[in-house]
């Protein structure tokens, strides 16, 4: 009976941990980008996708994430995450972020693309650095070209 309880407990724990669809911390300097294979080192431009099954894909830039999903079944994606430019290592919902493309803010893959948690933050940096603001859907359309 004791072994049955232990087996049931372990099965329960495995079921809980195998379905985790939350964000996963990026190990900067050690993990590679799933799209371009470069090591992820920039703590303000990284990105991440989490599938509905809990598989995590990590990227060194939001533009790598967007190029990656062009060949991916997007119906399987639960979360699109980008680093918040003003809070290093903090992942935010990319579909709700405001993106700034400014030649005065370099990003790892040369798209000069940065994500901001709020419109207000993005507008502040746009005033200081110039460039154009995009919503998630506008950005997807912009990077298709």
């Amino acid at each position: 009976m004791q072994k049955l309880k232990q087996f049931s407990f372990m099965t329960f724990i495995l079921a809980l941990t195998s379905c985790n669809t939350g964000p996963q911390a990026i190990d900067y300097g050690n993990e590679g980008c799933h799209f371009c294979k470069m090591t992820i080192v920039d703590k303000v431009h990284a990105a991440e996708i989490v599938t509905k099954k809990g598989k995590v894909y990590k990227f060194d830039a939001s533009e790598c994430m967007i190029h990656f999903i062009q060949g991916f079944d997007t119906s399987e994606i639960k979360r699109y995450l980008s680093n918040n430019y003003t809070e290093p290592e903090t992942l935010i919902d990319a579909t709700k972020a405001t993106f700034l493309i400014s030649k005065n803010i370099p990003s790892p893959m040369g798209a000069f693309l940065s994500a901001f948690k709020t419109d207000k933050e993005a507008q502040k940096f746009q005033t200081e650095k110039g460039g154009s603001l995009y919503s998630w859907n506008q950005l997807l359309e912009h990077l298709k070209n």
Side-chain angles (χ1 to χ4, degrees), residues 121-141:
E121 288 177 330
Q123 289 168 357
K124 177 185 169 205
F125 275 86
Q126 182 188 32
T127 300
E128 294 172 9
K129 304 288 186 177
S132 300
L133 298 177
Y134 298 85
S135 68
W136 172 251
N137 288 329
Q138 291 170 329
L139 183 65
L140 293 177
E141 192 62 35

Side-chain angles (χ1 to χ4, degrees), residues 32 34 39 50 62 72 95-96 115 118 133-134 136 139:
H34 275 89
T39 301
V50 183
S62 294
F72 196 84
T95 65
K96 295 178 181 172
T118 67
L133 298 177
Y134 298 85
W136 172 251
L139 183 65

Side-chain angles (χ1 to χ4, degrees), residues 11-88:
T11 303
F12 177 73
I13 294 298
L14 282 173
L16 281 179
T17 57
S18 65
C19 296
N20 183 3
T21 58
Q24 195 177 83
I26 297 172
D27 186 6
Y28 297 93
N30 292 309
E31 291 187 283
C33 175
H34 275 89
F35 182 72
C36 73
K37 310 301 180 204
M38 293 179 64
T39 301
I40 303 170
V41 295
D42 188 328
K43 296 178 179 181
V44 295
H45 288 103
E48 184 173 300
I49 289 172
V50 183
T51 68
K52 292 175 181 173
K53 292 181 178 178
K55 183 161 177 61
V56 177
Y57 297 91
K58 298 176 183 179
F59 307 94
D60 65 345
S62 294
E63 57 263 38
C64 282
M65 173 173 66
I66 291 167
H67 293 308
F68 177 81
I69 62 173
Q70 291 174 359
F72 196 84
D73 180 4
T74 55
S75 68
E76 294 297 317
I77 298 174
K78 174 86 172 179
R79 298 175 193 275
Y80 298 90
L81 303 157
S82 290
N83 276 119
N84 184 7
Y85 184 77
T86 60
E87 297 177 63

Side-chain angles (χ1 to χ4, degrees), residues 101-117:
I101 296 180
S102 171
K103 295 284 184 190
N104 296 312
I105 304 175
S107 62
M109 298 309 294
F112 303 96
L113 176 61
S114 303
F116 295 86
K117 188 173 184 174

